[in-house]
Amino acid sequence: MLRGGAVAIVVALFIAAGTVGTTAIRGRLQRGSGSDASKAPEPTLIADASLPADGAGAAAADTMNGATSGVPNGAPSGVPTVAQAGVTQPPMPIAPVIPIGQSSLADGITAVRADSGVTLSFDSPMIRTRIPEKFERFVRSTLPVIYGHGIDGALSSIPDGGIASQGDLISDLPTRGIRIPVGNAWMLRLYPEVRAGQDGPLVVRYRVAVVPAGQ
């Protein structure tokens, strides 16, 4: 019994010593790890020499934006630049004098004005035509009703026959249009419109608007 008790005491002492040693080792490891973490240097941010500072970056962004949009840096909005000024159109010299919407003119003629264009309808037996000379006379008599006497100079600059002779009245001019210069930068574009008649197509309307001379 004494021998058995001594063996048990020795085993218990070994177990206790092993537990204390394990705990001490763990404590030292934890303390060592904590001290290493506290001594670790903070990360250093290295500035990229290829990137500008804040002020320079903003200026570079502004410069790039100006180059992308075609507007020089610092140019106020709404003010034409030198490049823009080269394409700025002068004021339109004439405009319709009839009100927006539908208007009834003499001899059963009807005019419908949109914002800037006008459609004139004249589908009556005495006015509709397929004869170029008759159509030109009608155009010369009705354009002053639409645009006022400001169009007189443009019409007088075109000799008789110079309107209808710009193309075939039935097959060509409805798609190509008639050109009547108005000043140096503007012109009237006039398009006859046709419908089928008993003896062939008849011009019964025309559309007209003031457009830049290059159109």
Side-chain angles (χ1 to χ4, degrees), residues 2-135:
L2 291 174
R3 291 177 180 174
V7 171
I9 292 171
V10 171
V11 172
L13 289 174
F14 274 110
I15 292 174
T19 302
V20 172
T22 302
T23 303
I25 292 171
R26 288 179 179 175
R28 284 197 299 272
L29 290 176
Q30 290 178 353
R31 286 193 300 272
S33 174
S35 62
D36 291 343
S38 62
K39 294 178 182 179
E42 295 183 358
T44 302
L45 298 179
I46 301 176
D48 189 346
S50 65
L51 297 178
D54 291 343
D62 289 343
T63 302
M64 183 175 64
N65 292 336
T68 304
S69 62
V71 179
N73 184 35
S77 60
V79 178
T81 62
V82 174
Q84 293 172 330
V87 297
T88 301
Q89 288 286 345
M92 193 165 58
I94 59 172
V97 296
I98 60 175
I100 292 179
Q102 181 171 313
S103 300
S104 296
L105 308 181
D107 300 323
I109 301 171
T110 301
V112 178
R113 177 188 171 184
D115 185 21
S116 58
V118 177
T119 299
L120 205 69
S121 300
F122 45 93
D123 193 358
S124 62
M126 298 301 295
I127 305 177
R128 60 192 179 209
T129 186
R130 61 175 63 93
I131 302 171
E133 293 78 13
K134 180 180 178 180
F135 178 71

Side-chain angles (χ1 to χ4, degrees), residues 143-198:
L143 283 180
V145 178
I146 297 173
Y147 291 100
H149 291 291
I151 195 65
D152 291 345
L155 293 174
S156 62
S157 66
I158 300 177
D160 290 341
I163 292 177
S165 64
Q166 294 186 26
D168 185 89
L169 179 60
I170 302 299
S171 62
D172 188 21
L173 294 181
T175 55
R176 195 175 71 181
I178 295 169
R179 294 170 170 82
I180 301 175
V182 183
N184 296 325
W186 299 87
M187 67 178 176
L188 284 178
R189 290 296 299 272
L190 189 148
Y191 295 87
E193 294 186 358
V194 301
R195 70 164 177 81
Q198 184 175 357

